[in-house]
Amino acid sequence: MAEATTARLADPDVEARLVRLDRALDSLESAPGPTTRTATEAVALLTEVYGEALARVLDRADDQLVERLAEDELLGHLLVLHDIHPEPAERRAARAVERLRPAVQERGGDVEWAGVEGQVARVRLTTGGGGCGSGCGGGDEVTDAVRAAVLAAAPELTAVEPLTETAPAFVPLTTLTHRSAP
């Protein structure tokens, strides 16, 4: 018996379909009438059933498979959507920050996970001495990128609070150890 192979969508194709889906749902929700309510209910019920099916897959999978499924970007988002992701939000958010860290460091700054307080993520942002300047790409740009990455990984968190620090300017050791004559 020959096995059927199904071509998988590349990530950009998935993204394009998600954009189209968002537009279609926005259009549907803005249309008045009972047909709109019925269609919206059908989408919600279908989403619920698919969420239940995904939960049952996780129930039957071993830990290694669950981990692999959760690592897949699309599946990870679906697991979060259905509130069945096996990892806590804090761990997912911390991993998102670690993924961004090299890019922030390339711009002369640093970002470090500082934890969760309530439903608010805290990240420590460090800019180069004297401020980020043009070499860092703008403090707001970095903060926005960190916020977007954390909330995408853990949308159940309500906010991301940056704890901004400026690295101290370089002070030569000789100026600290030199004593003035009385």
Side-chain angles (χ1 to χ4, degrees):
M1 178 188 267
E3 282 188 38
T5 58
T6 304
R8 298 288 177 235
L9 294 174
D11 287 343
D13 295 330
V14 171
E15 289 293 325
R17 281 167 176 76
L18 289 173
V19 168
R20 285 178 44 207
L21 177 61
D22 281 341
R23 286 186 191 141
L25 289 173
D26 287 344
S27 176
L28 179 64
E29 289 173 350
S30 67
T35 303
T36 297
R37 285 189 295 277
T38 301
T40 303
E41 181 183 10
V43 170
L45 291 169
L46 183 63
T47 301
E48 256 183 76
V49 170
Y50 275 106
E52 176 60 24
L54 192 52
R56 290 181 185 195
V57 167
L58 292 183
D59 288 346
R60 288 162 178 76
D62 62 40
D63 290 344
Q64 191 175 28
L65 178 57
V66 169
E67 186 178 317
R68 286 181 42 224
L69 294 173
E71 286 173 358
D72 180 274
E73 187 176 3
L74 178 59
L75 290 172
H77 286 299
L78 288 174
L79 296 173
V80 167
L81 173 71
H82 295 289
D83 198 25
I84 56 175
H85 201 288
E87 281 188 312
E90 184 167 0
R91 190 175 312 147
R92 287 181 272 128
R95 190 171 46 251
V97 168
E98 283 306 310
R99 278 192 218 117
L100 276 178
R101 195 169 194 196
V104 174
Q105 289 173 332
E106 283 178 11
R107 289 169 174 75
D110 200 4
V111 62
E112 184 180 328
W113 180 249
V116 171
E117 213 172 285
Q119 293 298 101
V120 178
R122 305 232 190 271
V123 293
R124 193 169 290 106
L125 290 172
T126 307
T127 60
C132 200
S134 61
C136 184
D140 290 341
E141 184 180 309
V142 172
T143 300
D144 291 345
V146 171
R147 181 175 289 116
V150 167
L151 294 177
E156 54 274 65
L157 298 176
T158 58
V160 178
E161 183 177 296
L163 308 172
T164 307
E165 299 175 1
T166 300
F170 175 74
V171 178
L173 183 59
T174 57
T175 62
L176 297 175
T177 58
H178 178 67
R179 294 186 187 184
S180 303

